[in-house]
């Protein structure tokens, strides 16, 4: 699983006035990547491809280098106060990914070069709430680690929050390309989370992301670099042998993590769910998927704006909880369960 290299890169011309814009331009020029220009990162049109499916594939390997104009951050309750916008979109091809519905016609990846302006805005949010801590989530609209080997934006942010008095950073990833982040001066202010799952789910539904083994090794490195660590198990998905699949995942984590890391671990559990609009998009983008999307086998839960979601029936949900909570307690008795949803 190699680090992501885009096949096509667009620049907003003004992005070249920023040091990161220039660095990225030089980097891609040297790599012989096809470079084009766009007036706005929100309006990249005419991507190559004959069909919608081809265009979608091309978009997922297209990087747009732009300037983040909106410096008003969205809220990101309950795990953080704000979403910090360093990037949008992802090169992964997880069949169930919610970005397919939220990004609609713009599935390409955007990175923003005005990092210092974004961090200044974060400082203003922190100042408003001081002396309370303000937590920023960096992976609401992308898998930021997946492109950070190119931009080092996340590394810059980790060090920024490391020096801050009242700021904390968190993010989650399915990629193992973390080596450049290991020496960042994080001062314990960043919680580094990995999204993990049973092998079956990763193999069948998460193409274009790192295998479980590599994610777990990366988690070990991150723990040894002294970062507070966390795991999101999502989507928890019932499949043949799921009990063993999840047990094996916990066993591997237990074997990899150093004892100190186990003192301060967090777990977030999210069962598989889908909405009707998401089902339509998944079937369009991944027509051969084996992902089970049968409303009849699920329980309907009312949601915001009238769009409800389909989750597991009560009995199966309880079974999932019993197993997952049990493994967590058995292998990591000191871990904190943040939520099951
Ligand atoms: Fe979506 Fe995360 Fe998969 Fe990227 S890695 S496609 S953000 S679920």
């Amino acid at each position: 699983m190699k680090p992501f290299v885009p096949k096509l890169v667009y620049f907003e011309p003004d992005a070249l006035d920023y040091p990161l814009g220039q660095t990225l331009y030089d980097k891609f020029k040297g790599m012989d990547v096809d470079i084009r220009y766009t007036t706005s990162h929100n309006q990249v049109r005419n991507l190559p491809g004959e069909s919608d499916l081809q265009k979608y594939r091309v978009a997922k390997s297209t990087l747009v280098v732009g300037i983040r104009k909106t410096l008003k951050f969205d809220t990101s309750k309950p795990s953080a106060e704000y979403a910090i916008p360093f990037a949008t979109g992802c090169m992964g091809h997880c069949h169930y990914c919610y970005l397919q519905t939220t990004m609609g016609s713009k599935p390409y990846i955007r990175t923003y070069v005005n990092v210092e302006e974004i961090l200044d805005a974060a400082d203003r949010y922190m100042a408003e709430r001081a002396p309370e801590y303000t937590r920023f989530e960096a992976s609401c609209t992308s898998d930021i680690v997946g492109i950070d080997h190119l931009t080092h934006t996340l590394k810059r942010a980790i060090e920024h929050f490391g020096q801050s008095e009242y700021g904390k950073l968190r993010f989650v990833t399915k990629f193992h390309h973390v080596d450049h982040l290991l020496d960042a001066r994080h001062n314990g202010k960043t919680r580094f989370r990995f999204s993990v799952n049973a092998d079956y789910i990763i193999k069948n539904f998460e193409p274009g992301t790192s295998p479980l083994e590599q994610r777990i090794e990366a988690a070990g490195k991150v723990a040894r670099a002294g970062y507070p660590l966390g795991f999101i198990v999502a989507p928890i998905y019932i499949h043949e042998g799921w009990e063993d699949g999840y047990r094996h995942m916990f066993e591997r984590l237990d074997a990899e993590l150093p004892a100190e890391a186990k003192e301060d671990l967090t777990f977030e559990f999210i069962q598989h769910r889908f909405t009707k609009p998401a089902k339509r998009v998944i079937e369009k983008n991944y027509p051969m998927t084996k992902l089970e999307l049968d409303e009849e086998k699920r329980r309907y839960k009312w949601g915001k704006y009238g769009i409800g979601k389909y989750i597991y029936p009560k009995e199966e949900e309880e079974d999932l909880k019993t197993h997952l909570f049990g493994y967590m307690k058995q292998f990591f008795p000191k871990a904190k369960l943040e939520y099951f949803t």
Side-chain angles (χ1 to χ4, degrees), residues 175-193:
F175 293 91
H176 73 282
H177 308 111
V178 300
D179 287 358
H180 71 289
L181 299 172
L182 299 178
D183 66 353
R185 292 178 293 272
H186 57 77
N187 285 332
K189 298 274 183 63
T190 289
R191 188 165 294 272
F192 206 128
R193 288 129 75 222

Side-chain angles (χ1 to χ4, degrees), residues 90 92-94 97 99 143 174 209:
C90 178
H93 276 281
C94 304
C97 179
L99 292 182
D143 190 313
K174 288 186 168 72
T209 66

Side-chain angles (χ1 to χ4, degrees), residues 229-249:
L229 191 62
F231 295 98
I232 299 192
V233 188
I236 303 169
Y237 181 82
I238 296 184
H239 57 283
E240 204 186 323
W242 64 269
E243 298 93 334
D244 287 342
Y246 286 109
R247 166 185 284 282
H248 176 69
M249 183 194 85

